[in-house]
Amino acid sequence: MTKGPGAPTATRPVAAAPPPQPGVWNIANVLTMVRLLLVPVFVALLFADGGHNPKWRAVAWAAFAIAMITDLFDGELARRKGLITDFGKIADPIADKAIMGAALVGLSVLGDLPWWITVVILARELGITLMRFWVIRFAVIPASRGGKLKTLTQGIAVGMYVLPLTGWLATARAVLMGVAVLLTVGTGLDYVGQAIRLRREGLAKQRAGR
């Protein structure tokens, strides 16, 4: 049966267009790039005038604090504003580890922080990063509350070591760094357990699907 010229015609539903992908130049990525650029600035300030000038150390602390503040905001902005990009996924963790690694190594070179602390923290960060890649085809290991607390404690403790503190403040930063090391090791072991479990479950699903 043919339809007359005045008969209504059926229309196919139009598929909704996918949301546009955010560009690289957004506020979250800009904050990440600022943090990356602050790494060499911070190192230069930390070692200025021999590395033990209180004035330069205070300025170095300001640069470190700005970097830590951008770390708090860029990821949150990316999630809330829908600004997550491939560049941000790669650059954000690199920027985090670069500023923290530069501070730890710099402080150890200057003799202000024992090398074993630097080695423990950096080995944990590198190990967990490799662990995430080890299981990424099965699942993503989410950041835990303990991991976030570890990052916050590390940032405050390292920042206090950048400052030329004495007396009870120097004692307080040593205690806080001890807490940071315990959180670093504890959360690292937790991530290892998660990675092993997720990989085991992923392999079991693969075998079951064959």
Side-chain angles (χ1 to χ4, degrees):
M1 178 179 179
T2 58
K3 295 181 180 180
T9 57
T11 58
R12 294 182 180 177
V14 179
Q21 293 297 313
V24 173
W25 290 102
N26 60 64
I27 183 61
N29 286 346
V30 168
L31 288 175
T32 299
M33 286 185 274
V34 167
R35 190 157 71 260
L36 281 169
L37 292 173
L38 279 173
V39 174
V41 174
F42 165 74
V43 172
L45 293 170
L46 183 64
F47 284 92
D49 197 18
H52 295 286
N53 185 307
K55 293 181 179 179
W56 284 113
R57 291 290 285 263
V59 180
W61 174 85
F64 182 80
I66 292 172
M68 291 295 99
I69 290 171
T70 64
D71 183 28
L72 292 175
F73 285 104
D74 60 357
E76 188 66 22
L77 282 171
R79 287 186 292 271
R80 288 190 178 185
K81 303 290 186 181
L83 301 176
I84 298 176
T85 62
D86 291 337
F87 172 82
K89 292 177 183 178
I90 297 172
D92 182 63
I94 291 176
D96 296 345
K97 290 171 177 57
I99 189 68
M100 185 60 69
L104 290 167
V105 172
L107 289 169
S108 293
V109 169
L110 292 171
D112 295 331
L113 186 68
W115 272 106
W116 72 265
I117 292 179
T118 295
V119 171
V120 167
I121 293 178
L122 293 185
R124 185 268 190 196
E125 298 301 331
L126 177 60
I128 296 304
T129 299
L130 295 175
M131 191 75 67
R132 288 181 186 275
F133 283 111
W134 186 53
V135 300
I136 196 169
R137 67 190 181 102
F138 301 113
V140 175
I141 303 177
S144 64
R145 290 184 179 180
K148 294 178 181 178
L149 180 60
K150 177 269 304 178
T151 300
L152 178 63
T153 307
Q154 275 185 8
I156 296 174
V158 171
M160 292 179 72
Y161 270 88
V162 173
L163 289 171
L165 302 179
T166 58
W168 71 269
L169 286 173
T171 302
R173 74 182 179 184
V175 172
L176 189 60
M177 182 59 77
V179 173
V181 171
L182 289 176
L183 287 171
T184 297
V185 175
T187 56
L189 293 175
D190 179 60
Y191 280 134
V192 170
Q194 288 188 57
I196 293 173
R197 177 178 56 80
L198 290 171
R199 183 175 175 82
R200 188 178 299 156
E201 291 174 354
L203 289 172
K205 289 179 180 179
Q206 279 188 349
R207 287 192 292 267
R210 289 176 182 173

